[in-house]
Amino acid sequence: MAYDEELAERVRELVGPASEFTEKKMFGGLAFLVGGNMAVAASGKGGLMVRVDPGRTGDLLDGEGVRSMVMGGREIDGWLRVSAEAVEADAALREWVERGVAYARSLPAKR
């Protein structure tokens, strides 16, 4: 499944000035990176992948629209899958994009 281009455009409008982020096709989706660190992505599996503080992962899960990201059969702290339905509203999408961007900005920049 290709990523949702409409969702990617909505994320692009929220992530900030183009001078502050880069886009990169990754994991079948379109990732938005801040300082070389992935903040959020329009996922190839639908919805978003969002990078968050690993210590907050459990607090943000709701079991329906927000789930842990699973890679290689195990849950990865600091990465969430947010369903397309959970970000239909602009305010909800803004909240997740801002959360991912804020965490990516808190990390040392990659060169």
Side-chain angles (χ1 to χ4, degrees):
M1 173 181 193
Y3 65 89
D4 180 338
E5 291 185 28
E6 182 180 324
L7 178 59
E9 183 58 34
R10 290 175 62 211
V11 170
R12 189 177 289 118
E13 291 171 4
L14 294 170
V15 80
S19 62
E20 294 182 15
F21 73 92
T22 55
E23 296 180 20
K24 186 173 185 180
K25 290 186 179 181
M26 302 172 70
F27 309 114
L30 183 65
F32 296 86
L33 297 89
V34 177
N37 294 296
M38 189 175 122
V40 62
S43 175
K45 294 182 179 181
L48 296 178
M49 287 175 33
V50 181
R51 191 167 188 185
V52 298
D53 180 340
R56 298 235 23 242
T57 302
D59 298 336
L60 297 169
L61 302 175
D62 70 7
E64 295 177 22
V66 183
R67 298 178 184 209
S68 291
M69 189 162 134
V70 176
M71 292 184 79
R74 65 183 185 98
E75 293 181 0
I76 308 296
D77 283 341
W79 296 90
L80 300 173
R81 286 209 170 273
V82 181
S83 71
E85 295 78 21
V87 293
E88 284 178 352
D90 290 340
L93 179 62
R94 178 179 301 281
E95 181 179 331
W96 285 108
V97 169
E98 287 176 353
R99 185 175 279 134
V101 168
Y103 185 68
R105 282 189 176 134
S106 77
L107 300 171
K110 294 181 180 179
R111 294 182 183 226

